[in-house]
Amino acid sequence: MNLESNVTHLETDRLLLRHHRPADFESSAKMWADEAVVRYIGGKPSTRQQAWSRLLAYAGHWAWMGYGYWAIEEKSSGGFIGELGFADFKRELSPSIEGLPELGWALVPAA
């Protein structure tokens, strides 16, 4: 499966899915530090360093794989409300998903 794309953003009536910007760091770090957000995603809040590494990995996916995660922005407020996308995290899962992009998302609790 090849998801390589030049898509830089996607829009709906209410949302803008766009590449992350350095200015998204504080909002993303706050989201990943929230216990409600990570309850079913590993169960442990992320440190600021882990959140920063995640943003760098998102940028790396776009650069190396041609796909990745978008920041989700609410168009009416311009506010960051989450992240959504595809990644290859090289997880050792059974059954294996080697070579297949993995879909993931996280939303701030208010969303």
Side-chain angles (χ1 to χ4, degrees):
M1 174 183 282
N2 184 353
L3 291 181
E4 287 192 28
S5 168
N6 290 324
V7 175
T8 58
H9 71 277
L10 299 171
E11 285 190 57
T12 70
D13 289 341
R14 296 182 305 123
L15 303 174
L16 173 62
L17 280 62
R18 58 165 175 76
H19 286 250
H20 287 81
R21 304 173 185 140
D24 294 321
F25 171 65
E26 293 298 337
S27 297
S28 181
K30 181 178 178 184
M31 178 184 73
W32 285 105
D34 190 312
E35 290 183 359
V37 171
V38 300
R39 181 175 181 190
Y40 300 106
I41 311 173
K44 185 176 177 187
S46 294
T47 65
R48 288 175 57 80
Q49 180 181 1
Q50 289 167 327
W52 181 247
S53 293
R54 183 179 284 111
L55 288 182
L56 295 176
Y58 294 160
H61 268 83
W62 284 105
W64 282 21
M65 308 299 288
Y67 59 85
Y69 271 66
W70 291 278
I72 306 172
E73 181 180 306
E74 184 179 46
K75 287 168 84 173
S76 64
S77 69
F80 175 94
I81 62 168
E83 301 169 342
L84 164 75
F86 299 94
D88 181 355
F89 292 123
K90 303 292 185 199
R91 297 185 205 265
E92 294 181 14
L93 300 173
S94 182
S96 175
I97 61 170
E98 185 69 29
L100 299 173
E102 176 182 344
L103 174 66
W105 64 92
L107 300 171
V108 298

